[in-house]
Amino acid sequence: MLNKLNLQEAREGLRLKKFTSRELVQACLDQITKLDDDIHAFLYINSNALEEADKANINLPLGGLPIAVKDNFLTMGMPTTAASKLLDGYMPMYDATVVKKLKEAGAIIIGKTNMDAWAHGSSTETSDFGPTKNPHDLTKLPGGSSGGSAAAVASDMCIAAIGSETAGSIRQPASWCGVTGFKPTYGSVSRYGVIAMASSTDSPGPITKNAEDAKIIYDVIKGQDKYDATTIGSWKLEAGNWKKLRIGLAKEYMLKEMRDDVKKLILDAAERLRGLGHEVIEISLLDPKYSIGVYTIVQRAEVSSNLARFDGIRYGKDRSNFGSEAKRRIMLGTYVLSSGYYDQYYNKAQKVRNLIIKDFESAFSKVDLIIGPTSPGAALPIGASLDQPMFGEMEDSLAEPSSIAGLTGISVPCGKIDNLPIGLQFIGPQKADDLVLFAAQEFQNI
Amino acid sequence: MDVKKIAKLANLTITNDEEEMLARQFEDTIMTIDVINELDTKNVDSIFQVTGLSNITREDVIDKDRIMNIGDYFRVKAIFNAE
């Protein structure tokens, strides 16, 4: 049962010599053997994990702790496919900065997790290697694109996991799987060695059993990286009274198509935050439908250029191996960037993106944090995303605005409907990562 | 939208069935994204970098250890060190 421990408990147990890293890793491997034929959270298991555990230095911040990594992070010596057939068999020559930092902090990379192919989606159903199932109900989707990481944490197949978010890909699967998903400020965690999806919003981050664990991992993986020119250096967050925050509940995020019991869970959560001494007020933000438009255009455009490098010469197989979702996204991106449509779509979207940023700036002049539902509802059935080209955009509509503005956010469980978890998200201004983590942690500790 | 032409620009091969399906789906998607044209952006600049960074560059640094004494050659690290 050691696999059920959270990161802090596991770390303490190792340091007090209650058990060894080998025993901890073995417990996770046993859980994988027991459950993963059904859940399919992993694409690859590290066959050296136990030997690495024997050599682990448990005094390091993540010493001896088994951590799962999404399959779009390059891992030297472990295949990396971004769940795409095109990269099947690809063996990276170096580690992504995040992976390198995890290893330097003593973590054991226990395996690589399933995802939507190339991270294109919010279901993990578009993986070229078959879908991941939601551990709470195997007939349901785990969300995505970091669905494998969220499912692995939710089913205790690892102590914590790494995901990546372009717009919702950490928070939404965390919400659907009932775990904690933290999306750092854009640029605070290096993208070096992460298979690029939409470079202007891609943000690696942890998926964990609670917000305190997320902070421990974030502190390890963040920081400026000379290999990623968009990383931002360290900063000091302005001191404030974090025990008495002004929190905005975005009324536009309570979508009219949302079920009343989901809305009630969010309102109950607001009440609990008031109980902690915070002030929660209703605020107004731009309608998320504009973010869907901006995100769809910008993301497709960046996908079309990022995936142009997969021409069959430098990496993997040729372009006929792209699945239908990747083809659809590449082509729409090519279209919005083509002459004649560039101004109408791409350039217009980058202007509206600026409006969204200004809208958040104005909101954060009145409140410290914003809360709302992470996703419009609970996990949907397997098959729900098939032939729905805008599935991801609709399921991620409440994470997209903050993602395209480069903000930080976290999703934590706030209750269940029909026995499926619902997530509450906290959104903060850029660089308010520690505040967002603090508020989420305080909420979880009630 | 000329789906075949877009596929050619994107260096992708699509079947006739795919062409028909994609044309239909693109039409729906374009309708969804067209909402952004409701907003007035006359006095708004485009933004391409959200954290305010611009032109992050560094000076070239010559690694003297790599210069060889033979002509203009220099050493590079071995890249085929993994199996």
Side-chain angles (χ1 to χ4, degrees), chain A residues 174-187:
Chain A
S175 164
W176 284 14
C177 289
V179 294
T180 298
F182 174 58
K183 182 241 178 262
T185 296
Y186 175 76

Side-chain angles (χ1 to χ4, degrees), chain B residues 15-61:
Chain B
T15 62
N16 289 339
D17 284 353
E18 279 179 311
E19 182 185 351
E20 210 173 292
M21 184 188 68
L22 287 167
R24 207 175 52 242
Q25 291 176 339
F26 285 151
E27 213 167 292
D28 286 351
T29 303
I30 299 282
M31 255 167 51
T32 310
I33 64 182
D34 261 335
V35 295
I36 64 168
N37 290 307
E38 289 172 8
L39 294 172
D40 180 7
T41 51
K42 231 180 290 159
N43 300 313
V44 185
D45 292 332
S46 303
I47 192 160
F48 298 96
Q49 214 289 331
V50 297
T51 47
L53 302 176
S54 69
N55 299 342
I56 305 299
T57 59
R58 61 162 177 80
E59 292 301 314
D60 275 343
V61 185

Side-chain angles (χ1 to χ4, degrees), chain A residues 190-207:
Chain A
S190 169
R191 294 178 294 109
Y192 180 67
V194 184
I195 295 173
M197 203 257 249
S199 310
S200 78
T201 67
D202 285 345
S203 308
I207 295 179

Side-chain angles (χ1 to χ4, degrees), chain A residues 93 186 229-230 289-290 296-297 319 327-328 331-332 334-335 345 347-348 350-351 354 389 404 430, chain B residues 3 6 10-11 18 25 29-30 33-36 38-39 41 44-48 50-51 53 56 79:
Chain A
M93 301 301 288
Y186 175 76
T230 60
K289 72 180 180 185
Y290 298 116
T296 305
I297 293 166
R319 291 172 79 76
K327 280 194 208 171
R328 191 154 53 216
M331 286 174 64
L332 193 69
T334 306
Y335 175 71
Y345 292 114
N347 206 22
K348 176 78 184 183
Q350 297 289 32
K351 288 181 177 182
N354 206 357
I404 57 185
Q430 284 180 6
Chain B
V3 174
I6 300 290
N11 190 16
E18 279 179 311
Q25 291 176 339
T29 303
I30 299 282
I33 64 182
D34 261 335
V35 295
I36 64 168
E38 289 172 8
L39 294 172
T41 51
V44 185
D45 292 332
S46 303
I47 192 160
F48 298 96
V50 297
T51 47
L53 302 176
I56 305 299
I79 52 169

Side-chain angles (χ1 to χ4, degrees), chain A residues 55 199 252 283:
Chain A
K55 290 184 228 143
S199 310
E252 288 77 8
I283 60 160

